[in-house]
Amino acid sequence: MRIVFLSPDEPLHLPEFYRYIIENLSSSHDIKVIIVPPVYKNTTKLDLVLRYAKTFGVSEAAVLSSRVIYYKGMDILFRGKGNGFYSMSSVFKKYGIPYLYEDDVNSKRNLDRLKGWKTELLISISCPQIFKRELIELASKGCLNLHGSILPDYRGVMPSFWMLANNENEAGSTLFFVNEKIDAGDVLVQRKFPVQPDDTLESFIKRSKRIGAEMVVEGVEKIDSGNVETYTLDMSKGNYYGWPKREDVKRFLDNGRRFR
């Protein structure tokens, strides 16, 4: 199949995610990637840092920012030397996967590009933009999204944080066909896994991403073989979570959780 992934440029977890995807799919599928800005429309990186600092504290925002800067610096330092994957682009270059940058996934330019590629399957991985109908319906075999919760529970943003803040014992991820509603559609693959007592937010996200990558491979194989069995989410159930408040972060910490 001709598969196009849409993702933000995120250096902390997605390079390893894509390494697994490519090593398990690229030999039998034509993979391309469109990289989008890691922030929402009309939001700058500074806005995001300030918002993060206001919610999680200045020190935590500084640590996160320094980690991103570190990975970007290491990527520049070791670019082309095979010393590790410090960016998504380093993974794509290593494996010869075509990629490009696009500000607006719904733009006519991007839609025309996808049509020109004869895209059969679109897969959104942490893409921060809302998909419009024309984009959703463009690929002949559908448009998938990977969400880090057992939908319809924990729709919205930062599901990993919210599950730990709410002291859940069980977590999961959902791979589903996108419609015009947020985190809603027909489920293709869903997995559940236990939350470990010593999980930090970092270790939890890392495990969730690896499981998510395995789910994407499974989902692509189902579609490729024609073995597609789905079920529709009941949107009258579940819950939606927005950006956390300081009291939510306090509850997260009071539960004995840590960021790293």
Side-chain angles (χ1 to χ4, degrees):
M1 284 189 296
R2 291 181 291 274
I3 305 171
V4 178
F5 286 84
L6 301 107
S7 287
D9 192 5
E10 188 273 289
L12 303 182
H13 304 106
L14 289 187
E16 175 60 24
F17 176 95
Y18 275 106
R19 183 200 63 78
Y20 182 91
I21 293 291
I22 292 166
E23 289 185 353
N24 285 275
L25 290 179
S26 63
S27 63
S28 52
H29 300 282
D30 176 9
I31 294 176
K32 294 182 176 67
V33 182
I34 293 176
I35 302 176
V36 304
V39 294
Y40 294 92
K41 260 187 169 182
N42 302 318
T43 303
T44 67
K45 291 181 180 179
L46 178 59
D47 291 335
L48 188 61
V49 170
L50 292 175
R51 187 182 191 188
Y52 196 90
K54 183 178 180 180
T55 303
F56 296 97
V58 173
S59 61
E60 184 58 32
V63 169
L64 182 61
S65 298
S66 65
R67 290 181 67 201
V68 172
I69 293 170
Y70 168 80
Y71 275 89
K72 288 185 179 296
M74 293 295 284
D75 182 51
I76 294 171
L77 183 63
F78 292 115
R79 186 171 294 166
K81 298 180 181 179
N83 293 67
F85 297 131
Y86 299 101
S87 70
M88 289 165 55
S89 61
S90 65
V91 178
F92 303 146
K93 289 175 182 176
K94 169 73 174 180
Y95 292 96
I97 300 298
Y99 70 97
L100 54 80
Y101 293 84
E102 174 59 61
D103 289 334
D104 184 358
V105 296
N106 296 290
S107 68
K108 183 179 185 301
R109 175 180 59 186
N110 193 52
L111 295 173
D112 289 345
R113 176 189 296 129
L114 293 170
K115 292 173 184 175
W117 288 344
K118 295 181 173 58
T119 304
E120 294 178 277
L121 182 65
L122 281 172
I123 305 179
S124 168
I125 306 296
S126 304
C127 186
Q129 300 182 25
I130 303 295
F131 289 11
K132 296 181 180 178
R133 178 180 293 275
E134 189 173 359
L135 177 61
I136 293 170
E137 296 179 349
L138 185 147
S140 59
K141 295 185 182 295
C143 177
L144 294 172
N145 182 49
L146 179 67
H147 185 76
S149 78
I150 309 169
L151 292 175
D153 289 330
Y154 291 98
R155 302 190 301 274
V157 301
M158 300 185 71
S160 295
F161 167 83
W162 285 112
M163 283 184 277
L164 294 181
N166 291 341
N167 221 14
E168 296 283 5
N169 295 316
E170 185 177 60
S173 291
T174 307
L175 183 68
F176 63 97
F177 286 100
V178 175
N179 62 27
E180 290 186 281
K181 297 180 181 179
I182 296 176
D183 296 333
D186 293 339
V187 174
L188 178 62
V189 181
Q190 189 172 73
R191 286 196 197 174
K192 300 178 181 179
F193 55 89
V195 178
Q196 303 296 338
D198 59 347
D199 264 332
T200 63
L201 184 58
E202 173 70 17
S203 67
F204 183 83
I205 292 175
K206 186 175 182 179
R207 187 165 75 255
S208 178
K209 290 296 184 190
R210 177 52 184 260
I211 292 171
E214 295 171 358
M215 291 169 60
V216 169
V217 171
E218 179 184 348
V220 168
E221 290 173 347
K222 284 177 179 288
I223 293 171
D224 191 41
S225 67
N227 182 30
V228 178
E229 295 182 6
T230 64
Y231 65 90
T232 302
L233 290 167
D234 183 355
M235 301 308 290
S236 68
K237 298 179 180 179
N239 41 39
Y240 179 92
Y241 285 88
W243 188 265
K245 299 178 181 178
R246 289 302 296 266
E247 54 263 34
D248 301 313
V249 175
K250 183 179 183 303
R251 179 156 48 89
F252 171 92
L253 296 172
D254 287 347
N255 287 339
R257 299 296 182 183
R258 295 294 179 265
F259 296 110
R260 289 167 305 284

